[in-house]
């Protein structure tokens, strides 16, 4: 009869955009964020206002420069005083930025040590409780009567529950500890970056003061500067350049984005499932393999897709892979998905019980006995050479001359001979 010898590999993944994130940036890193108009998960269209930068200082500069343009005689002294104020302001701002970055690094290191202590304590608790549980189980096995055994097993179950809770605590602490540990290098880099930017910012303003007498006091330059300031003013209102879903928001109201990255958007028109393939399964998975996908939101529905690609570089606990989705209507970015990858695609192939296949003593060839009907209950056994294909635990795929679905095959070939006439009673 026809069998399904297909093999699948079960994995969990996260729905993502097939395209890389679209990063929303600003070059005006000296201005604080005054308002953030979106949150993670919001859908936006091209032209929507995502956030705004504090433009009060810029507007004041424009107002002041517009007055100066009308009175160029006062430009030099005014600009010089502004630069001195800017130098003092830059020094204070730079010091605050460095202190903030240093404080964040110290907090992460302290938090990491706390979580490490929680992890070690939880692991010790688990080992102790597991040992106590094992002892209770051993005592129950050697109990003198059923009542004592039942009581000890009840205590064993309770102790196992406590051990499971202890495991959950130390696993949670480990995950947090790992996450914090991954953030520390970024915080260290941020501190070094803050120090460099602080030094560069102060040096830049000081350079402007030192060279101002050589470059200032020109009406045409003032007009050009005014035009640049107005262009910067337009840039303080940050708009979406494309449709998408907000996938992360780094901008914080009242704070400066030193790196210039405000947020990221993901394109929802083309989605995929991001999976992690273990080293043990890596060589079993190839691009193009069919997949069956289920999602928690529609538990009874199955969706089709295929393996798009598996990256050759290991990241974290496995190798990143991506599954295309044939119909993405019910999928949302960030949603969990269960994926069955069909590593062996062998549906509707002819198979028999392995017991039916035999070999001659002097040959490696494989055979089966097919029962060919002669009259009502009389059948003649035909010895058919077969080729085996994919095998399961009980059945194996075969092919041979004249064999097809529905043929009767002898399950105990050792008791039969070729061309023997046997009686077959069909019970079903």
């Amino acid at each position: 009869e026809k069998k399904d010898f297909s093999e699948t590999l079960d994995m969990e993944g996260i729905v993502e955009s097939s395209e890389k994130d679209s990063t929303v940036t600003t070059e005006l890193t000296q201005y604080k964020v005054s308002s953030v108009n979106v949150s993670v998960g919001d859908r936006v269209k091209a032209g929507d206002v995502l956030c705004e930068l504090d433009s009060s200082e810029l507007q004041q500069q424009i107002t002041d420069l517009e007055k100066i343009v009308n009175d160029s005689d006062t430009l030099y002294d005014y600009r010089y005083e502004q630069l001195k104020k800017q130098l003092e302001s830059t020094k204070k701002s730079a010091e605050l930025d460095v202190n903030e970055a240093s404080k964040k690094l110290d907090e992460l290191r302290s938090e990491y040590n706390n979580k490490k202590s929680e992890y070690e304590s939880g692991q010790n608790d688990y080992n102790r409780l597991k040992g106590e549980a094992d002892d209770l189980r051993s005592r129950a096995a050697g109990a003198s009567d059923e009542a004592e055994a039942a009581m000890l097993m009840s205590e064993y179950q309770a102790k196992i529950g406590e051990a499971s809770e202890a495991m959950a605590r130390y696993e949670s602490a480990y995950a947090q500890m790992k996450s914090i540990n991954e953030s520390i290098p970024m915080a260290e880099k941020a501190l070094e970056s803050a120090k460099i930017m602080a030094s560069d910012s102060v040096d830049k303003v000081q350079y402007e003061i030192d060279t101002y007498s050589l470059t200032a006091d020109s009406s045409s330059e003032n007009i050009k500067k005014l035009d640049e300031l107005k262009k910067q003013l337009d840039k303080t209102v940050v708009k979406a350049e494309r449709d998408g879903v907000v996938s992360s928001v780094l901008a914080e109201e009242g704070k400066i984005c030193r790196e210039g990255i405000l947020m990221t958007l993901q394109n929802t028109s083309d989605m995929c499932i991001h999976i992690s393939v273990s080293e043990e399964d890596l060589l079993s998975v190839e691009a193009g393999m069919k997949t069956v996908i289920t999602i928690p939101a529609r538990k009874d529905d199955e969706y089709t897709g295929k393996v798009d690609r598996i990256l050759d570089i290991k990241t974290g606990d496995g190798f990143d892979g991506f599954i295309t989705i044939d119909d993405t209507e019910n999928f949302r970015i960030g949603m969990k998905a269960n994926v069955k990858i069909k590593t062996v695609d062998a549906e509707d192939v002819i198979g028999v019980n392995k017991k039916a296949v035999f070999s001659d003593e002097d040959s490696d060839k494989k055979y089966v006995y097919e029962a060919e009907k002669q009259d009502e209950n009389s059948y003649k056994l035909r010895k058919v050479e077969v080729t085996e294909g994919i095998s399961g635990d009980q059945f194996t795929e075969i092919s041979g001359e004249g064999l097809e679905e529905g043929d009767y095959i002898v399950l105990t070939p050792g008791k039969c001979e070729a061309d023997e006439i046997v009686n077959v009673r069909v019970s079903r």
Side-chain angles (χ1 to χ4, degrees), residues 70 77 99 135 146 153 177 188 196 223-224 327 344 390 393 397 415 423 427:
N70 296 326
D77 292 340
N99 291 340
D135 181 61
E146 292 184 0
M153 284 305 296
M177 182 178 70
E188 293 173 339
I196 294 172
I223 294 173
K224 182 179 179 180
D327 181 3
V344 176
I390 302 169
D393 293 334
E397 177 189 4
K415 299 179 180 180
N423 291 325
S427 60

Side-chain angles (χ1 to χ4, degrees), residues 315-375:
T315 58
D317 296 329
F319 295 80
D320 289 336
F322 300 89
I323 308 296
T324 60
I325 309 167
D326 293 335
D327 181 3
T328 61
E329 181 179 357
N330 294 321
F331 288 73
R332 300 292 183 271
I333 289 176
M335 178 183 285
K336 291 183 178 180
N338 295 315
V339 180
K340 285 184 179 293
I341 301 175
K342 187 171 288 188
T343 54
V344 176
D345 190 357
E347 294 182 74
D348 295 331
V349 297
I350 296 296
V352 296
N353 194 298
K354 288 182 176 180
K355 296 178 181 179
V357 182
F358 65 97
S359 300
D360 289 342
E361 293 181 357
D362 57 350
S363 172
D364 293 331
K365 295 180 180 180
K366 300 293 182 69
Y367 302 90
V368 296
Y369 285 127
E370 177 198 7
E372 296 181 323
K373 190 169 184 178
Q374 304 297 303
D375 50 39

Side-chain angles (χ1 to χ4, degrees), residues 11-19 21 40-41 43 245-247 266-276 293-298 303-304 321-339:
M11 294 189 179
E12 292 185 350
I14 300 295
V15 178
E16 294 182 350
S17 171
S18 297
E19 298 180 4
D21 288 358
V40 173
R43 292 178 176 272
V245 171
V246 179
S247 55
Q266 286 196 10
N267 180 8
T268 58
S269 62
D270 188 12
M271 291 181 281
C272 67
I273 299 173
H274 184 179
I275 60 173
S276 179
I293 306 162
T294 56
I295 53 178
R298 303 292 290 267
Y303 302 85
T304 58
F322 300 89
I323 308 296
T324 60
I325 309 167
D326 293 335
D327 181 3
T328 61
E329 181 179 357
N330 294 321
F331 288 73
R332 300 292 183 271
I333 289 176
M335 178 183 285
K336 291 183 178 180
N338 295 315
V339 180

Side-chain angles (χ1 to χ4, degrees), residues 63-74:
T63 300
D64 293 341
L65 193 53
E66 285 175 337
K67 293 179 180 178
I68 293 172
V69 168
N70 296 326
D71 188 2
S72 59
D73 292 339
T74 62

Side-chain angles (χ1 to χ4, degrees), residues 122-245:
Q123 198 173 44
N124 290 335
D125 288 345
Y126 169 77
N127 291 332
R128 175 178 57 79
L129 291 167
K130 183 65 169 57
E132 293 174 3
D134 292 341
D135 181 61
L136 286 169
R137 185 171 61 180
S138 298
R139 289 170 58 194
S144 58
D145 54 53
E146 292 184 0
E148 182 183 5
M151 180 187 69
L152 289 171
M153 284 305 296
S154 176
E155 293 178 5
Y156 165 75
Q157 294 297 333
K159 192 66 68 175
I160 282 295
E162 293 177 25
S164 297
E165 292 175 358
M167 177 185 286
R169 287 195 298 273
Y170 84 70
E171 285 181 343
S172 175
Y174 178 78
Q176 296 177 61
M177 182 178 70
K178 183 178 179 182
S179 177
I180 294 169
N181 191 48
E182 291 174 350
S183 301
I184 288 176
M186 295 178 63
E188 293 173 339
K189 183 179 179 181
L191 176 57
E192 292 303 314
S193 177
K195 290 179 179 179
I196 294 172
M197 291 181 66
S199 177
D200 289 345
S201 298
V202 172
D203 290 344
K204 182 179 180 180
V205 178
Q206 185 63 57
Y207 178 79
E208 288 185 17
I209 291 176
D210 295 340
T211 59
Y212 180 69
S213 59
L214 302 176
T215 59
D217 199 11
S218 168
S219 178
S220 61
E221 289 182 1
N222 290 334
I223 294 173
K224 182 179 179 180
K225 178 63 175 178
L226 186 59
D227 183 57
E228 292 175 353
L229 291 175
K230 288 180 178 179
K231 289 179 180 179
Q232 289 186 9
L233 182 62
D234 292 336
K235 294 178 181 179
T236 60
V237 178
V238 182
K239 299 179 179 180
E241 296 183 357
R242 50 179 277 184
D243 296 351
V245 171

Side-chain angles (χ1 to χ4, degrees), residues 2-14:
K2 287 188 176 180
K3 295 286 183 181
D4 184 0
F5 289 91
S6 299
E7 296 180 9
T8 60
L9 191 61
D10 292 350
M11 294 189 179
E12 292 185 350
I14 300 295

